Amino acid sequence: MNAYRTPDGFMDGFPPPSGPAPIPGPAARGNPDAPHAIVIGSGFGGLAAAVRLGAKGWRVTVLEKLDAPGGRAYVHRQAGHVFDAGPTIITVPYLFEELWALCGRSFHDEVTLKALDPFYRIRFADGSHFDYSGILEKQRAEIARIHAPDLPGYDRFVAEADHCYRLGFEALGDKAFDTVGDLLRASPAILKMRGWRSLHGMVASHVKHPKLRAALSLQSLLIGGNPFSVTCIYSLINALERRFGVHWAMGGTGQLVQGLVGLLQGQGSTLRCNAEVRRIEVEGGQATGVTLASGERIAADIVISNADTAWTYRHLVEPEHRHHWTDRRVERGRYSMSLFVWYFGTRRTYDDVPHHMMLLGPRYRELLADIFKNHHLADDFSLYLHRPTASDPSMAPPGHDTFYVLAPVPHLDSGTDWSVRAAPYREAVARVLENTVLPGFQKEISASLITTPQDFHDRLLSYKGAAFGLEPLLLQSAWFRPHNRSEDVPGLYMVGASTHPGAGVPGVLMSAKALDSVVPHAVAHRALHPL
């Protein structure tokens, strides 16, 4: 079965991913003279970077602050329920396949992906809904059901989203924007996409019904961006989902994390948990290793940070080594929203609730302005409800359901004291769920835990508690985003959601590919830097 095929096959004009098949690189196992790379953080981006470095002959050590790998893809377990902490929508399977192929293994022999259709349901405040599908005929039928006069405009939107996919994802997604020349070479593509427009503005130029404008623009929230502010280039998410489908990893996204850990360990690399990095060491203008919170010093030839880039520069690199990412530049960036997440289990199942559902509140533009611009925690909210047991009963005890519900909220500039507000906010979320899609669920709760913006700051070390780093505005994307190769410190590199190309599982895996283009092979590095 072709992993790239959506339920209705390849979209017209979308050939299968091209390029040479990945070839397993030389392993560093047993070679103490191989140059040493330290990766800070074990999110998807850090683990993918470690695998790619191992395939290029590097000796790799991954250092993770938490007690288990995954970063934002950490796994919580309570009362027999399995809660994926963060990413739940898996698309672009070939990015995982490449990593397994680098190690001479087959991704689909080790991980089972289940294609979802519809991808998700969008429930509007009046109780009506829109099922978001990758099958074009089904999607057009949903458009017609909401507002038939918007069908021609929807077709134009699809064509423009496909155009942005080709220019933005295929052509630029895995290219490291290392120099001004890289930006200049990309500028014609950005102009062709008219990237100065907002995503919502682009959608609104094609469809007129407010429900359809919301349904076709809210995808940027999946990568931390306000659709009224982010560049329309991110309409490529629509094309990307249609092209590759939306999948669930059976057993949860934790299975992908464990699979990547198995790959890097098979290469002879090392993963250390409970190993928080306190400082990146710089000597002679070059990154030379790290110091842990315990005081332990670990030497390295290069350092790759999968930590939040703003946190990395602001807290891990001393100011005298930062001439580009100064404290002032870091502080004046425009940062993404944060998240309030409630994980809960129930002693019964809710079989009419799909795997993925968005529940939109009464306000759209105004709520997003409160979150992103006013930094005000409003009384109303929109929600993403995740019910993995709709596809995978193994995520809960028999006869139970596992859920998480997520509300986009302002980052910590809101001044919200989450130690006080968390409980009443959870109760407000519970009332909305009780009155809409989960009647009577509160008396069935068998497990419960929450994550707030303060946890993003304290536990995940996200600057301002922002869940996705810098907001993906045009002038905070590509060359304007923190580079994969540090602008300040030779030998320091960045990977993950807050560097190029950005957040989302495809984005962080592509960042590891971009990193691959600027980190030399171990042999070439050793030739330039002999022992």
Side-chain angles (χ1 to χ4, degrees):
M1 182 178 71
N2 194 314
Y4 313 118
R5 190 176 295 274
T6 55
D8 61 332
F10 291 118
M11 294 297 297
D12 289 342
F14 281 143
S18 60
I23 300 172
R29 185 194 299 274
N31 181 9
D33 294 334
H36 184 212
I38 284 175
V39 178
I40 303 170
S42 65
F44 279 133
L47 294 175
V51 170
R52 289 184 175 276
L53 288 165
K56 295 174 83 165
W58 287 83
R59 222 168 17 97
V60 183
T61 301
V62 180
L63 302 172
E64 171 55 54
K65 172 182 180 287
L66 303 179
D67 61 352
R72 285 166 175 74
Y74 187 88
V75 178
H76 301 289
R77 301 176 191 274
Q78 188 181 101
H81 295 271
V82 181
F83 300 105
D84 286 324
T88 59
I89 293 176
I90 302 300
T91 187
V92 198
Y94 83 81
L95 293 171
F96 286 105
E97 292 169 6
E98 285 182 352
L99 297 170
W100 263 254
L102 283 170
C103 301
R105 290 157 67 171
S106 168
F107 173 72
H108 294 285
D109 286 347
E110 300 181 25
V111 177
T112 300
L113 294 184
K114 181 175 182 177
L116 303 182
D117 183 60
F119 296 160
Y120 37 85
R121 171 167 290 178
I122 300 168
R123 185 187 187 278
F124 301 103
D126 64 3
S128 62
H129 72 271
F130 179 89
D131 281 341
Y132 199 97
S133 172
I135 300 175
L136 198 56
E137 287 69 27
K138 285 187 177 182
Q139 196 69 78
R140 295 184 85 254
E142 284 291 279
I143 297 288
R145 186 174 60 80
I146 299 291
H147 193 231
D150 273 332
L151 271 172
Y154 172 70
D155 293 337
R156 292 192 300 272
F157 165 75
V158 166
E160 187 163 4
D162 291 348
H163 179 67
C164 289
Y165 166 81
R166 292 188 184 92
L167 294 179
F169 186 83
E170 288 188 336
L172 304 178
D174 61 357
K175 304 295 189 294
F177 281 78
D178 212 30
T179 67
V180 173
D182 295 325
L183 173 63
L184 294 175
R185 282 186 288 274
S187 294
I190 295 171
L191 291 172
K192 288 178 182 177
M193 292 183 282
R194 295 186 289 166
W196 58 86
R197 297 171 299 158
S198 74
L199 174 58
H200 188 273
M202 185 268 250
V203 171
S205 72
H206 295 301
V207 300
K208 304 306 178 187
H209 198 284
K211 289 181 178 179
L212 296 180
R213 288 179 171 182
L216 297 176
S217 65
L218 58 76
Q219 289 73 25
S220 66
L221 292 167
L222 302 175
I223 58 168
N226 180 354
F228 292 92
S229 303
V230 302
T231 168
C232 67
I233 294 170
Y234 289 103
S235 64
L236 65 82
I237 298 172
N238 175 279
L240 182 146
E241 290 179 337
R242 285 185 287 107
R243 171 68 179 84
F244 297 103
V246 167
H247 305 267
W248 170 250
M250 297 301 286
T253 48
Q255 295 299 309
L256 295 169
V257 171
Q258 290 303 319
L260 289 167
V261 169
L263 295 183
L264 69 91
Q265 290 177 336
Q267 293 174 317
S269 298
T270 300
L271 168 67
R272 290 180 56 181
C273 294
N274 297 305
E276 179 183 349
V277 172
R278 188 57 55 84
R279 184 171 62 252
I280 294 170
E281 299 295 342
V282 180
E283 297 177 8
Q286 176 88 17
T288 58
V290 301
T291 296
L292 304 185
S294 65
E296 179 184 358
R297 168 77 184 273
I298 305 174
D301 295 87
I302 60 173
V303 176
I304 297 92
S305 180
N306 181 216
D308 177 67
T309 53
W311 188 278
T312 297
Y313 283 118
R314 185 68 177 79
H315 296 291
L316 302 186
V317 179
E318 297 293 343
E320 61 265 29
H321 304 304
R322 293 185 278 115
H323 304 292
H324 184 83
W325 288 105
T326 61
D327 289 355
R328 184 170 181 271
R329 183 186 288 267
V330 170
E331 289 161 6
R332 73 171 188 242
R334 288 177 58 182
Y335 289 87
S336 72
M337 65 194 184
S338 192
L339 304 172
F340 177 91
V341 192
W342 177 28
Y343 310 89
F344 62 94
T346 58
R347 285 182 288 268
R348 54 156 289 194
T349 61
Y350 291 81
D351 297 331
D352 55 344
V353 176
H355 191 125
H356 301 293
M357 177 184 279
M358 283 76 165
L359 293 87
L360 300 188
R363 301 187 303 153
Y364 187 54
R365 180 194 292 265
E366 297 83 3
L367 176 62
L368 292 172
D370 276 344
I371 293 170
F372 285 91
K373 295 182 179 180
N374 303 330
H375 305 304
H376 167 65
L377 183 65
D379 292 331
D380 61 318
F381 38 73
S382 290
L383 303 171
Y384 160 56
L385 182 64
H386 179 227
R387 179 180 171 246
T389 34
S391 303
D392 188 353
S394 74
M395 301 294 284
H400 290 56
D401 254 347
T402 290
F403 294 90
Y404 89 44
V405 62
L406 173 157
V409 294
H411 58 58
L412 293 176
D413 275 1
S414 69
T416 303
D417 183 348
W418 283 101
S419 67
V420 174
R421 292 298 302 273
Y425 198 84
R426 186 203 64 78
E427 291 165 3
V429 169
R431 284 193 296 271
V432 168
L433 295 177
E434 181 101 25
N435 293 332
T436 54
V437 296
L438 295 177
F441 86 101
Q442 292 191 75
K443 64 179 182 292
E444 303 288 348
I445 291 176
S446 55
S448 177
L449 61 152
I450 61 172
T451 291
T452 74
Q454 197 64 52
D455 295 309
F456 275 93
H457 179 276
D458 298 345
R459 186 170 182 270
L460 296 173
L461 304 184
S462 297
Y463 186 68
K464 297 189 177 187
F468 303 91
L470 289 167
E471 187 182 359
L473 309 170
L474 180 61
L475 295 182
Q476 293 187 160
S477 298
W479 185 81
F480 301 101
R481 204 163 180 82
H483 292 188
N484 302 101
R485 174 165 29 202
S486 172
E487 301 94 319
D488 286 314
V489 181
L492 176 61
Y493 300 85
M494 304 290 159
V495 71
S498 49
T499 184
H500 172 72
V505 175
V508 300
L509 296 179
M510 291 285 271
S511 78
K513 289 191 73 173
L515 176 75
D516 211 19
S517 69
V518 293
V519 175
H521 193 282
V523 172
H525 179 88
R526 183 55 73 220
L528 292 173
H529 305 277
L531 292 172

